[in-house]
Amino acid sequence: MIAKFLTLVFLPRLLFAVEIRAVDFGLVGDGKTDDGPTIIRVVAEAKKHSPSQVTILFPSRKTIFAASAENRYLFFLRNAKNLTIDGNGSTFLLDPSIRMADLQGSSSITMKNMAVDYSKSMFIESIVQEVNQEKSYLDVKATNANESNSMSGPTKEDGEQWFGGFVWCENGSRTKAARHFSVGKVEKREGGVVRIFHGEGSFTPDLAKSIIPGTTGFSVPRAGVAHRHGPGALFEIHDATDATMEHIHVWSAPWFAFSIYRCEGFCRFHDVDVVPKPNSGRRMSACRDAFHVTANRAKLSFEHCDSRGTGDDDYNFCILSSVIRKIISPTEIVIRQKFPIQYNPMREGETLMVMDANNSMIGSAKIARYTEVPLKQGAITAGGSCPEVTISLDAPITDLRTGLTVWSKEACNPDTTMSHCTATFSIRMQTSLTIKHCRFDCYNVSYGMSEKSDNVEGPGPEFMRISHSEFYRGRGAGYHAQCDGRGSPAATRLQSIEISHCLFHAPLKIAKANQVVLIDNAFEDSVLLGDHSKLQMSGNRKNGVNFTIPTQ
């Protein structure tokens, strides 16, 4: 097969632009034939032209089934450069064992114009028939009667993690609120009824009271498909530089949909939706986070993204922080990351931030030298441990002590924007954000950290800028900035929070911030403002009437 040269232009370093048509390599696109081997050959051909700019073009509006993949990723693009994958409106239908794209170490990659689905849905939709909170079970009937026999308990297959479904609880006039329901033992009953016993945790009376038998829906996880960690996220965008995702619709994801981790340059997501497939009757689209955003140095933008139907956070903006284990001198310390599910190393020349368990900033200084002690067991594994690191600072920080939380200022998603996005489950706003023209029917929270916990994400935002956005009561209650704790507001982690031209149908609570700006907002629910140093207010109204915001 011969790649078709679309254009021949003079680019920097005399590179050529190349177009490769998947159909020229024998792609069928009938939704039944395994086109995985063909796509592997196409990607291999594209890599041969590196570092030229290459576009892989798929046929228009086909269903492309894939059960084969390199290292379990249909598009294994590790260390690839200058490559565009244009789905041309086609749907990629994947076998549950594989994922869509691995971009680790890549640069200048664009993926666009495609939908991603799975040959087996992540969840089986059902209606609750009976609730028994005392004995911790729900009786359900599958919406599609043929699916009743497919319901079963956890299998632990392929890294299957917490195994849970989602009860679509009645919420009055508001959007139905999806609530976690851990699935344990499953029993088949007569008449197509399936009894599902609660697994981990407790089946609370509050949850039981929110269910209406015969009405309330329950998205039951499909054993052997849902919550499978597998090789990772559907789109693994790790240590990548300049990545663009546009016009992508994710209809199913067995775990995270997008994992964006330690990226450089920019990462842009435009019209990227994680939503149930239209007209499918599904309520769910992903088992875990739609966008898991950790420890990036890149400029991040999310524009016109919709994340209805996720099984966990719509967005989780975070960094996994470290803790001071030893003080050698005021300019030399030993640290170790608290939670090793992903490793967030710092760099010489970056700014080390230091904070206590009350979210009060102790100080900061530039990292002059960064010395990492390799682990005896070699590779860092999730749930294992991270290496100890000795850091030399270019200036002393007073009041250093063991147990304090530290992180890199430059590596905590420092330039992140959400624009014209919607979310319906929850957003963890644990690093600074600029939000504009968004609608949130979910629980939105910014919170700090605790030196007493090993499993922490954070460090809480330095600033929040929210404008022209709407907050509704969905699963949770509005926006809560809970970076509180003892200490002066002037020293708190959340230095400024600015909210302007927003509509709150749900509560707003700011536990502590140094500076608070509230301009031209309309509130229809409770507003609570805690400790602060500076407050600027004008044009705010509650239920159409000017009002003074109460303080604690």
Side-chain angles (χ1 to χ4, degrees):
M1 303 295 176
I2 301 175
K4 174 184 175 183
F5 286 86
L6 178 65
T7 56
L8 179 62
V9 296
F10 288 101
L11 298 174
R13 299 170 63 186
L14 298 176
L15 305 182
F16 299 124
V18 179
E19 181 184 88
I20 297 174
R21 297 181 356 130
V23 292
D24 291 341
F25 286 72
L27 186 113
V28 179
D30 62 1
K32 299 178 182 179
T33 303
D34 180 7
D35 280 318
T38 299
I39 292 173
I40 292 172
R41 294 197 302 273
V42 169
V43 170
E45 176 66 24
K47 290 180 177 179
K48 292 178 183 178
H49 295 277
S50 181
S52 295
Q53 181 63 53
V54 179
T55 296
I56 297 176
L57 182 64
F58 285 87
S60 176
R61 301 185 180 281
K62 296 290 186 179
T63 297
I64 300 166
F65 174 65
S68 308
E70 182 180 2
N71 295 303
R72 297 186 61 186
Y73 275 94
L74 183 60
F75 292 95
F76 190 69
L77 304 179
R78 289 196 175 188
N79 303 310
K81 297 180 179 179
N82 302 326
L83 178 61
T84 296
I85 310 293
D86 188 346
N88 204 11
S90 285
T91 296
F92 291 86
L93 185 64
L94 308 182
D95 180 86
S97 65
I98 69 173
R99 303 293 187 264
M100 186 63 176
D102 183 346
L103 275 63
Q104 183 172 324
S106 66
S107 61
S108 299
I109 303 296
T110 296
M111 299 189 73
K112 63 181 182 180
N113 303 330
M114 62 184 67
V116 183
D117 199 4
Y118 273 81
S119 57
K120 292 183 179 179
S121 64
M122 308 296 110
F123 295 88
I124 300 169
E125 301 300 344
S126 69
I127 300 296
V128 177
Q129 305 298 308
E130 181 182 336
V131 181
N132 192 318
Q133 190 264 329
E134 182 181 354
K135 295 184 178 180
S136 295
Y137 70 75
L138 297 177
D139 281 350
V140 306
K141 275 190 175 182
T143 304
N144 179 349
N146 295 327
E147 291 276 45
S148 292
N149 290 329
S150 299
M151 295 185 191
S152 62
T155 65
K156 305 299 181 182
E157 180 181 353
D158 194 26
E160 179 188 81
Q161 299 185 323
W162 173 87
F163 190 66
F166 300 87
V167 179
W168 294 86
C169 297
E170 307 308 311
N171 206 16
S173 61
R174 307 183 184 106
T175 304
K176 289 187 177 183
R179 299 273 297 274
H180 287 126
F181 190 96
S182 177
V183 172
K185 183 174 64 173
V186 174
E187 294 180 353
K188 306 298 191 301
R189 314 291 287 184
E190 294 181 354
V193 172
V194 179
R195 180 161 294 177
I196 299 177
F197 288 86
H198 200 269
E200 298 178 17
S202 60
F203 184 0
T204 64
D206 175 64
L207 174 58
K209 290 177 182 177
S210 67
I211 298 172
I212 301 176
T215 299
T216 301
F218 182 16
S219 298
V220 181
R222 188 184 295 275
V225 179
H227 301 290
R228 285 173 64 172
H229 176 276
L234 184 65
F235 288 81
E236 197 93 344
I237 309 173
H238 290 187
D239 296 298
T241 301
D242 297 346
T244 299
M245 302 280 140
E246 59 184 17
H247 308 307
I248 296 176
H249 305 287
V250 174
W251 293 333
S252 289
W255 194 56
F256 291 167
F258 293 88
S259 179
I260 306 117
Y261 166 55
R262 296 195 318 199
C263 291
E264 312 270 353
F266 65 83
C267 286
R268 179 172 177 259
F269 296 80
H270 178 76
D271 185 26
V272 176
D273 297 338
V274 183
V275 299
K277 184 178 181 180
N279 303 314
S280 66
R282 302 177 190 169
R283 295 184 179 94
M284 302 299 298
S285 53
C287 292
R288 297 292 295 274
D289 299 3
F291 301 95
H292 194 83
V293 187
T294 309
N296 295 281
R297 296 170 173 86
K299 178 181 176 66
L300 301 166
S301 63
F302 300 86
E303 307 158 347
H304 296 275
C305 296
D306 186 352
S307 50
R308 288 173 290 119
T310 60
D312 207 335
D313 299 315
D314 294 77
Y315 297 81
N316 186 343
F317 298 101
C318 66
I319 185 173
L320 298 171
S321 63
S322 296
V323 64
I324 297 178
R325 295 175 61 86
K326 182 179 180 180
I327 306 293
I328 300 173
S329 74
T331 59
E332 193 168 13
I333 59 176
V334 177
I335 69 169
R336 174 177 280 171
Q337 185 175 303
K338 290 185 178 182
F339 189 53
I341 192 169
Q342 292 176 321
Y343 184 40
N344 304 165
M346 305 177 200
R347 295 175 180 171
E348 294 180 1
E350 293 187 339
T351 307
L352 183 79
M353 310 294 290
V354 185
M355 184 173 73
D356 68 15
N358 291 301
N359 301 298
S360 290
M361 300 303 301
I362 302 300
S364 64
K366 291 292 184 182
I367 299 173
R369 188 168 66 252
Y370 186 88
T371 306
E372 185 176 296
V373 178
L375 291 172
K376 292 181 181 180
Q377 70 270 27
I380 298 167
T381 57
S385 61
C386 289
E388 284 196 340
V389 176
T390 300
I391 289 180
S392 297
L393 304 171
D394 72 345
I397 298 177
T398 57
D399 297 327
L400 284 180
R401 58 187 182 274
T402 58
L404 293 177
T405 294
V406 298
W407 69 93
S408 165
K409 181 178 182 178
E410 289 78 9
C412 62
N413 315 318
D415 187 356
T416 305
T417 300
M418 296 178 66
S419 174
H420 297 90
C421 295
T422 62
T424 58
F425 199 81
S426 61
I427 303 180
R428 297 180 188 266
M429 303 175 178
Q430 301 173 99
T431 53
S432 299
L433 289 172
T434 298
I435 297 171
K436 47 192 178 183
H437 299 285
C438 291
R439 172 174 170 145
F440 298 143
D441 293 79
C442 63
Y443 182 50
N444 308 282
V445 59
S446 300
Y447 55 85
M449 309 187 65
S450 171
E451 61 185 5
K452 298 177 182 179
S453 173
D454 289 331
N455 183 354
V456 294
E457 298 171 336
E462 179 180 5
F463 66 82
M464 292 293 298
R465 303 186 185 113
I466 307 172
S467 66
H468 300 91
S469 296
E470 299 181 22
F471 293 80
Y472 292 80
R473 275 188 184 268
R475 171 178 176 267
Y479 175 53
H480 184 187
Q482 58 185 50
C483 297
D484 48 6
R486 297 184 301 274
S488 165
T492 193
R493 168 61 178 162
L494 185 52
Q495 282 295 291
S496 67
I497 181 164
E498 303 174 14
I499 302 176
S500 64
H501 303 94
C502 289
L503 174 59
F504 280 82
H505 297 279
L508 168 66
K509 181 178 180 180
I510 302 172
K512 178 188 281 187
N514 186 28
Q515 178 174 299
V516 178
V517 177
L518 298 170
I519 305 291
D520 292 334
N521 300 294
F523 299 102
E524 297 178 358
D525 210 313
S526 61
V527 182
L528 182 61
L529 176 60
D531 288 348
H532 59 278
S533 297
K534 301 176 183 178
L535 175 62
Q536 178 185 348
M537 292 175 53
S538 67
N540 298 292
R541 298 173 72 82
K542 185 172 182 181
N543 296 322
V545 179
N546 292 335
F547 82 117
T548 301
I549 293 178
T551 58
Q552 290 180 328

